[in-house]
């Protein structure tokens, strides 16, 4: 990668006369330093002139023998830390006018890989994207990839000095987050503060999960959420698109299971591409072996039946090889549509294990377990083997598997594969275990705490719409279950967290009401994932900042 050095430049700027609001492209509010490029108000020259441009009445014209009074040098107060969501981790203040957008100013890059970031920022701030340039001009925003290979790829440094901005990082993700900070600063106050921001996230997983199976969300609505998530520095979007009610994405391998209202693959590709531009990975979730009602509707032969003939909703018979085949067909098909590094396999609420005696209720499952894993094997062993087999399918495509915590069982002879990440959401299932039970074995965990981070439409089963204030004031990534934090020694195994929307009663809210309802919870969640410390702002001030930033 090429490197660019910035020429040092002295600053001799004067007194700030005031700030006047102006507006540039895309409605960005700017603060204009009054008299910023003219003679300072109060200088000897300005005092001696009348508004008409001549000598002011009664002004003294110095004689040739008089020594001219020296013009005062501009002085600036020490800059303050930028106010952004999430808050920046560190800021070194400095004295200077800062930076503001203006027509004709450029965004330049040192690497073609930063073209997306450069064009996006230029369009947002009304600047000109000039591409790769080595020259230096007043007002430039320079985006740079550096050679700091050991750095967190999401970290960045933003320097505002000499009327220019430099954002540098080891990876384009870090550069992108720097542009989000600059955008928020300008939107919030018109000017980017003089000084140096050094910033990076506390947690590598900052996600939003959306249930599009039980409620139809338009592609445009999802794209709007992608833009919102990108500006807030989220980096994962999970789409739960298969459940008992519907299957919501076009399929070539099994078109018979797709619901009438669904996203086309072309629409999904646009969502994935938009997300990639904003450094968000789209994580697909095809839940199994439960929550497969839409598949069973087209393939009733896959339905699990008890010895008494009952048919638990959405539950496939995992002793039937055809069940595994259709799920693997789908996993293989969608691997090409979702190129990200992760895949959520579900695994939760398998109703065969939600009865008092699974082996007696479903003898075919008990027989299949003994055949596969030996005389003492249980239905839990067979279900764990199912999860491992699905993990092997997505692993062939280079994906890291993730599953809900109630898809892991205690006391099984068959153990879940070590690389399957735990998505911990509940402690209410039969045989529920505390988060430490998973963490103590060295397993990595993603926090979906249902008491803080679940937005369930219709508020069934004592799920209440979460508030941003409660998340902001009471939750941290270590609060995985309930309200109690796990010991600090496990912090490194908690990869991050997701805020999740579930649509149990899809008509309880419109999609616009959902967007409004999750607005502040999303902001509170990412604040706690980016900065591990206690927030500097009170909730009232944080909410006011969010309103100002839009």
């Amino acid at each position: 990668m090429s490197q660019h050095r910035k020429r040092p430049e002295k600053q001799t700027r004067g007194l700030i006369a005031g700030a006047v609001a102006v507006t540039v492209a895309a409605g960005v509010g700017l603060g204009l330093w009054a008299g910023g490029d003219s003679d300072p108000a109060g200088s000897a020259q300005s005092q001696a002139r009348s508004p008409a441009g001549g000598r002011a009445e009664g002004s003294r014209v110095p004689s040739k023998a008089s020594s001219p009074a020296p013009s005062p040098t501009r002085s600036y107060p020490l800059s303050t830390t930028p106010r952004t969501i999430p808050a920046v981790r560190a800021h070194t203040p400095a004295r200077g006018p800062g930076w503001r957008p203006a027509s004709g100013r450029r965004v330049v890059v040192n690497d073609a890989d930063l073209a997306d970031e450069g064009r996006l920022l230029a369009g947002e701030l009304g600047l000109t994207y000039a591409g790769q340039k080595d020259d230096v001009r007043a007002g430039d925003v320079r985006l740079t990839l550096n050679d700091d290979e050991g750095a967190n790829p999401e970290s960045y440094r933003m320097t505002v000095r000499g009327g220019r901005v430099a954002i540098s990082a080891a990876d384009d993700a870090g550069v992108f987050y720097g542009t989000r900070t600059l955008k928020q600063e300008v939107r919030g106050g018109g000017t980017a503060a003089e000084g140096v921001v050094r910033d990076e996230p506390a947690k590598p997983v900052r996600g939003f999960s959306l249930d599009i199976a039980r409620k139809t969300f338009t592609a445009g609505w999802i794209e709007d959420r992608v833009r919102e998530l990108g500006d807030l520095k989220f980096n994962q979007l999970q789409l739960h698109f298969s459940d008992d009610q519907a299957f919501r994405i076009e399929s070539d391998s099994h078109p018979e299971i797709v619901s009438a209202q669904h996203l086309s693959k072309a629409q999904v590709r646009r969502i994935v591409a938009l997300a990639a531009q904003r450094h968000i990975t789209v994580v697909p979730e095809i839940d199994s072996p439960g929550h497969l009602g839409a598949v069973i509707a087209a393939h009733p032969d896959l339905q699990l039946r008890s010895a008494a003939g009952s048919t638990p909703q959405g539950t496939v018979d995992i002793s039937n090889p055809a069940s595994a085949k259709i799920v693997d067909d789908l996993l293989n098909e969608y691997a090409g549509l979702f190129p990200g590094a992760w895949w959520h396999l579900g695994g939760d609420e398998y109703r065969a294990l939600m009865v008092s005696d699974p082996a007696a209720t479903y003898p075919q499952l008990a027989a299949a377990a003994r055949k596969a894993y030996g005389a003492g094997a249980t239905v839990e062993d067979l279900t764990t083997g199912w999860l491992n087999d699905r993990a092997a399918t997505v692993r062939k495509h280079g994906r890291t598997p993730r599953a809900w915590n109630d898809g892991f069982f205690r006391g099984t002879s068959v153990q879940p594969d070590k690389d399957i990440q735990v998505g911990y959401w509940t402690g209410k299932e039969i045989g529920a275990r505390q988060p430490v039970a998973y963490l103590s074995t060295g397993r990595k965990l993603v926090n979906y705490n249902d008491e803080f981070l679940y937005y369930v439409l219709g508020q069934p089963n004592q799920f209440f719409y979460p508030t941003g204030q409660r998340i902001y004031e009471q939750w941290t990534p270590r609060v995985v279950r309930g309200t109690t934090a796990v010991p600090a020694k496990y912090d490194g195994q908690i990869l991050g967290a997701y805020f999740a929307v579930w649509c149990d009663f899809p008509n309880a809210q419109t999609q616009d009401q959902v967007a409004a309802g999750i607005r502040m919870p999303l902001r509170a969640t990412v604040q706690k994932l980016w900065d591990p410390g206690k927030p500097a702002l009170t909730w009232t001030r944080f909410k006011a900042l969010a309103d100002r930033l839009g």
Side-chain angles (χ1 to χ4, degrees):
M1 293 176 195
S2 60
Q3 303 254 355
H4 298 278
R5 293 185 178 177
K6 189 174 179 183
R7 293 182 301 200
E9 196 173 295
K10 293 184 178 180
Q11 302 174 32
T12 54
R13 309 251 180 186
L15 297 171
I16 302 171
V20 180
V22 297
T23 302
V24 295
V28 178
L30 304 181
L32 176 64
W33 297 104
D37 295 315
S38 62
D39 294 331
S43 71
Q45 189 174 17
S46 64
Q47 286 178 357
R49 294 190 182 275
S50 69
R55 294 291 178 187
E57 183 178 353
S59 64
R60 181 175 63 89
V61 180
S63 66
K64 293 182 180 180
S66 302
S67 299
S71 297
T73 302
R74 278 186 192 231
S75 62
Y76 295 92
L78 203 61
S79 62
T80 58
T81 301
R83 292 300 189 194
T84 60
I85 297 176
V88 300
R89 300 284 297 277
H91 176 248
T92 303
R95 299 183 187 277
W99 177 91
R100 64 182 183 274
S103 178
R105 289 187 168 178
R106 308 182 306 172
V107 176
V108 297
V109 302
N110 80 327
D111 193 296
D113 286 346
L114 296 176
D116 283 347
E117 289 75 16
R119 289 192 180 97
L120 178 62
L121 182 67
E124 291 169 332
L125 298 187
L127 307 175
T128 298
Y129 177 66
Q132 289 180 260
K133 300 291 182 183
D134 292 324
D135 64 313
V136 177
R137 293 185 187 176
D140 275 355
V141 177
R142 180 170 293 277
L143 309 182
T144 302
L145 288 174
N146 59 43
D147 290 330
D148 190 359
E149 296 180 359
N152 180 336
E154 294 188 309
S155 66
Y156 68 91
R157 173 176 173 148
M158 184 176 82
T159 302
V160 179
R161 182 183 299 133
R164 293 189 293 273
V165 180
I167 298 172
S168 65
D171 188 271
D172 51 355
V175 171
F176 174 73
Y177 295 136
T179 68
R180 299 307 85 194
T181 295
L182 180 61
K183 177 185 176 182
Q184 285 197 30
E185 272 204 272
V186 169
R187 176 175 287 176
T191 304
E194 200 86 4
V196 181
V197 168
R198 293 176 179 84
D199 202 14
E200 65 179 353
K203 292 296 181 182
V205 173
R206 305 177 300 282
F208 172 58
S209 179
L210 181 65
D211 172 10
I212 65 172
R214 284 174 275 198
K215 181 178 179 65
T216 301
F217 291 90
T218 65
W221 189 93
I222 297 171
E223 289 172 0
D224 285 344
R225 299 289 73 71
V226 168
R227 295 182 184 95
E228 179 181 17
L229 295 170
D231 281 354
L232 293 171
K233 303 183 177 106
F234 279 89
N235 63 0
Q236 292 187 18
L237 168 63
Q238 180 173 318
L239 293 180
H240 175 91
F241 62 90
S242 169
D243 213 304
D244 296 339
Q245 293 79 0
F247 192 99
R248 297 287 189 190
I249 294 180
E250 175 186 357
S251 172
D252 298 319
S253 65
H254 290 282
E256 72 280 2
I257 70 174
V258 179
S259 302
Q261 289 184 301
H262 64 273
L263 296 174
S264 69
K265 285 190 173 181
Q267 288 174 314
V268 173
R269 289 189 186 98
R270 285 195 293 271
I271 291 168
V272 169
L274 180 68
Q277 288 176 348
R278 283 150 172 82
H279 298 273
I280 296 170
T281 300
V282 181
V283 179
E285 181 191 355
I286 298 179
D287 205 342
S288 79
H291 294 279
L292 283 172
V295 173
I296 292 170
H299 295 273
D301 55 307
L302 304 182
Q303 171 69 57
L304 177 67
R305 288 175 167 78
S306 72
S310 64
T311 54
Q313 181 182 17
T315 309
V316 296
D317 184 346
I318 60 175
S319 69
N320 182 349
S323 296
K325 182 181 184 306
I326 193 169
V327 173
D328 282 348
D329 285 347
L330 296 168
L331 295 175
N332 286 322
E333 175 183 359
Y334 290 113
L337 189 62
F338 297 99
W342 299 273
W343 195 295
H344 204 300
L345 300 170
D348 63 311
E349 297 178 326
Y350 187 49
R351 292 180 182 271
L353 296 174
M354 297 170 70
V355 296
S356 58
D357 191 344
T361 307
Y362 302 103
Q364 75 273 37
L365 298 184
R370 291 190 295 270
K371 181 179 179 180
Y373 302 112
T378 64
V379 177
E380 287 87 349
D381 287 316
L382 187 69
T383 309
T384 302
W386 168 280
L387 178 64
N388 287 343
D389 289 345
R390 307 292 77 74
T393 299
V394 300
R395 199 180 292 114
K396 290 176 183 176
H397 297 283
R399 310 299 194 266
T400 297
R402 188 179 295 162
W404 299 114
N405 63 287
D406 52 333
F408 298 77
F409 312 102
R410 70 169 82 220
T412 55
S413 60
V414 178
Q415 292 296 305
D417 292 342
K418 289 293 186 182
D419 68 331
I420 303 176
Q421 298 173 356
V422 179
Y424 198 103
W425 71 281
T426 187
K428 302 179 180 71
E429 77 275 16
I430 296 172
R433 288 181 287 167
Q434 294 287 340
V436 169
Y438 304 90
L439 295 167
S440 62
T441 65
R443 198 173 291 277
K444 293 179 180 179
L445 182 151
V446 179
N447 187 338
Y448 293 77
N449 187 328
D450 63 348
E451 292 193 32
F452 284 92
L453 306 176
Y454 262 33
Y455 192 96
V456 185
L457 297 195
Q459 303 185 107
N461 303 319
Q462 296 187 316
F463 283 112
F464 302 105
Y465 293 133
T467 67
Q469 183 173 1
R470 186 165 182 256
I471 296 168
Y472 190 77
E473 295 178 345
Q474 300 180 30
W475 178 81
T476 72
R478 284 173 44 213
V479 179
V480 180
R481 172 178 170 175
T483 59
T484 304
V486 302
K489 66 180 181 180
Y490 296 118
D491 185 67
Q493 291 170 240
I494 299 172
L495 300 176
Y498 268 77
F499 186 85
V501 170
W502 297 103
C503 302
D504 294 42
F505 290 90
N507 296 324
Q509 290 189 342
T510 67
Q511 63 178 15
D512 290 340
Q513 287 173 321
V514 173
I518 66 177
R519 181 176 174 274
M520 288 310 300
L522 283 175
R523 284 152 177 78
T525 299
V526 80
Q527 172 61 40
K528 304 304 277 292
L529 290 170
W530 190 273
D531 187 345
K534 181 180 178 180
L537 301 180
T538 64
W539 170 252
T540 300
R541 293 177 64 194
F542 182 81
K543 187 176 184 303
L545 174 63
D547 291 343
R548 187 164 72 249
L549 297 178

